[in-house]
Amino acid sequence: MKYFSTNNKGLRYSFKEAVIKGLAPDEGLFFPESIPHLGNDFFSRLPNMSLSEIGYEVSKHFVGEDITDTVLKEITRDALNFETPLVEVEKEVYSLELFYGPTCAFKDVGARFMSRCLGAFAKQSKRKITILVATSGDTGSAVANGFLGVEGVDVIILYPKNKVSEIQEQQLTTMGKNITALEVNGTFDDCQALVKMAFVDEDLNKKMNLTSANSINIARLLPQSFYYFYAWGQLKDKEKEIVISVPSGNYGNLTGGLLAKQMGLPISVFIASANKNKVVPDYLASGKYEPRSSFSTISNAMDVGAPSNFARMMEMYQKEYKQVIRDIKGAWFSDQETKHAILDVYERTGYILDPHGAIGYLGLKKHLRSNSAIGIFLETAHPAKFKGTVEEVINVDVEIPTYLKECLEKEKQSVVIGKDYADLSAFLLRK
Ligand SMILES: *Cc1c(COP(=O)(O)O)cnc(C)c1O
């Protein structure tokens, strides 16, 4: 399997090249040159397959010869070692809970798979890989956690001093092992600028094998298709139409679902559920794509005004708007509506939604009002991650799961640096 750049279909890259580069040299996103159709045999075995077995069978079509079967089996077993249960919240309305990974959010799935692929490539080349990542909070901890203990890979996270939440800072600074947290005396934009400068510093790149691990990496997207297959396998009644609602920001999660559908998964409609950052629902309604600056909302992991995976969604449909709107419906909701849904679902069913899952739930219910189908929404984060908001709405304590609690008790370890590039390069060269 080869990959092309969404900006240029002429050039082809192997899976390994695409994963190590992250972004194509022309700044396009990597996209597979063909999408395999998985046969009936695969679909009939799905109800009895675990997430990691599904991961192996799907990804072997995409990695080609760059990773051996034995190693790929190890990677999927090790990366996907937590549950993603499908829970019935109301009659024919299911929550696919994707928050049992180490950072309590669905990004663990992609981050863990990608990190192990990079680890396998580092082993092949015997040269250590250094991942440099700037974070405003959540992404950094999912990426770093994914790499924790992976041999041949060092991770350096840059985060802005005093500008991430206490839980986030604890998650970033207590991992130890091959993870180092740099606390930058500056803003998130400064962190991002420092990382960019390091990537173009020729002297540094001669001495170190630097790689980014951002959310557009193909090895993060691919595993985000696995749990759609798993969810379908778990459904008892598959006679009716099935629709899936995805709370979205950069649209990587939804693109994973579209990928599954193109591989043959019988999902009739996807719902692109957004908060006030509704650039994609607006595109679906008007045919016009108009990226803009983002607003802050209570579902803050979805506060994106220029979604990075939009180019991949367009590639999937060869930019045919009519096809896009046949498969994807848009919906968006305010903070007020989100809070109302959290309270309403809690009072009626006892189920506790997080603000992102609540948007997914709302998008699904809106669609089901005029369509008869079985509905699934993705619950992308544990409600305890948004404890403040959720507790204020339902007026009940939300218990922090033990795996999150443990990191809150560990000692913070970080290195403080200034926002000048000289500070970062001095630190990297000392390593
Ligand atoms: C990142 C994130 C999202 C949005 O996912 P995209 O792939 O960027 O659309 C939704 N919910 C949570 C909790 C997230 O962390």
Side-chain angles (χ1 to χ4, degrees):
M1 173 74 78
K2 295 281 188 207
Y3 294 79
F4 59 75
S5 156
T6 49
N7 287 344
N8 178 357
K9 290 196 184 175
L11 300 173
R12 291 288 191 273
Y13 303 83
S14 68
F15 179 72
K16 180 173 172 175
E17 286 170 320
V19 174
I20 291 178
K21 285 188 199 304
L23 199 63
D26 60 11
E27 305 210 332
L29 307 192
F30 288 112
F31 198 85
E33 60 180 357
S34 65
I35 296 175
H37 202 278
L38 304 175
N40 288 341
D41 170 59
F42 171 75
F43 288 102
S44 64
R45 286 186 292 120
L46 269 180
N48 301 316
M49 284 168 80
S50 67
L51 185 67
S52 59
E53 285 164 342
I54 295 170
Y56 167 72
E57 294 217 15
V58 173
S59 56
K60 70 179 182 195
H61 297 279
F62 289 89
V63 308
E65 314 207 310
D66 291 350
I67 298 175
T68 64
D69 266 6
T70 320
V71 172
L72 188 60
K73 269 188 191 150
E74 268 169 36
I75 288 177
T76 46
R77 197 168 36 228
D78 189 38
L80 308 168
N81 65 349
F82 50 87
E83 302 285 300
T84 54
L86 187 69
V87 176
E88 190 164 27
V89 173
E90 298 166 8
K91 191 167 183 299
E92 300 193 335
V93 171
Y94 294 85
S95 168
L96 179 62
E97 297 183 339
L98 299 175
F99 52 69
Y100 290 99
T103 71
C104 303
F106 87 95
K107 290 191 180 72
D108 285 325
V109 174
R112 288 172 70 82
F113 181 81
M114 172 182 66
S115 59
R116 280 152 185 79
C117 289
L118 275 166
F121 298 145
K123 251 190 210 159
Q124 288 171 5
S125 77
K126 302 210 169 47
R127 198 172 163 213
K128 195 178 226 175
I129 291 178
T130 303
I131 311 276
L132 214 49
V133 47
T135 185
S136 58
D138 265 358
T139 308
S141 61
V143 169
N145 240 298
F147 284 104
L148 184 62
V150 174
E151 267 176 56
V153 182
D154 276 345
V155 180
I156 296 165
I157 320 169
L158 287 80
Y159 74 94
K161 191 178 172 68
N162 298 332
K163 292 193 178 63
V164 301
S165 78
E166 201 180 321
I167 287 196
Q168 286 172 331
E169 183 163 36
Q170 280 298 113
Q171 284 185 314
L172 291 170
T173 57
T174 59
M175 276 175 270
K177 291 191 184 165
N178 54 334
I179 315 292
T180 308
L182 293 184
E183 198 173 342
V184 177
N185 253 319
T187 62
F188 170 61
D189 290 335
D190 293 326
C191 296
Q192 222 164 8
L194 285 173
V195 168
K196 281 195 179 147
M197 283 188 260
F199 282 119
V200 296
D201 178 342
E202 283 181 21
D203 284 344
L204 184 70
N205 282 275
K206 273 182 207 142
K207 297 192 181 95
M208 305 179 86
N209 198 4
L210 286 184
T211 305
S212 73
N214 48 24
S215 61
I216 45 77
N217 197 298
I218 190 77
R220 281 183 69 176
L221 181 73
L222 180 60
Q224 288 173 189
S225 69
F226 303 162
Y227 41 73
Y228 291 90
F229 293 104
Y230 180 78
W232 184 84
Q234 296 304 303
L235 277 179
K236 298 273 173 304
D237 176 11
K238 300 186 177 64
E239 298 307 311
K240 271 195 186 173
E241 271 190 23
I242 298 164
V243 302
I244 300 189
S245 169
V246 188
S248 295
N250 268 317
Y251 288 82
N253 203 354
L254 180 69
T255 306
L258 297 173
L259 201 58
K261 181 171 163 71
Q262 295 220 345
M263 285 187 260
L265 188 69
I267 303 302
S268 60
V269 165
F270 284 93
I271 299 152
S273 298
N275 58 29
K276 198 176 159 194
N277 296 285
K278 57 189 180 63
V279 56
V280 171
D282 283 353
Y283 159 77
L284 294 166
S286 71
K288 286 199 205 82
Y289 178 62
E290 295 169 328
R292 50 198 88 150
S293 341
S294 60
F295 298 105
S296 296
T297 73
I298 57 168
S299 46
N300 57 23
M302 292 158 44
D303 294 348
V304 181
S308 55
N309 272 291
F310 188 74
R312 280 200 179 112
M313 287 168 70
M314 291 299 101
E315 191 57 54
M316 202 83 86
Y317 290 97
Q318 264 111 50
K319 303 196 174 74
E320 286 288 337
Y321 176 66
K322 277 200 184 126
Q323 313 257 333
V324 177
I325 59 172
R326 192 196 54 199
D327 285 4
I328 312 172
K329 311 289 172 195
W332 72 277
F333 303 92
S334 66
D335 280 355
Q336 210 47 44
E337 290 168 301
T338 309
K339 287 183 183 170
H340 184 260
I342 295 173
L343 182 61
D344 169 56
V345 170
Y346 178 69
E347 284 182 340
R348 279 188 297 109
T349 72
Y351 191 82
I352 304 179
L353 294 165
D354 99 291
H356 305 78
I359 298 250
Y361 172 85
L362 283 168
L364 180 63
K365 291 291 277 195
K366 182 170 175 233
H367 182 80
L368 293 179
R369 251 179 264 142
S370 44
N371 298 273
S372 164
I374 292 178
I376 298 174
F377 65 95
L378 305 195
E379 218 342 332
T380 47
H382 193 289
K385 262 195 121 163
F386 302 90
K387 206 171 160 41
T389 307
V390 176
E391 287 183 346
E392 190 193 302
V393 173
I394 63 175
N395 213 358
V396 172
D397 281 348
V398 178
E399 212 176 312
I400 300 181
T402 37
Y403 54 106
L404 194 57
K405 228 187 258 164
E406 279 165 13
C407 100
L408 299 180
E409 285 155 9
K410 284 193 203 151
E411 197 183 333
K412 170 181 162 182
Q413 288 183 331
S414 69
V415 177
V416 181
I417 65 165
K419 61 181 176 183
D420 292 331
Y421 180 62
D423 286 19
L424 177 64
S425 76
F427 173 82
L428 292 173
L429 290 170
R430 265 203 311 275
K431 276 198 65 101

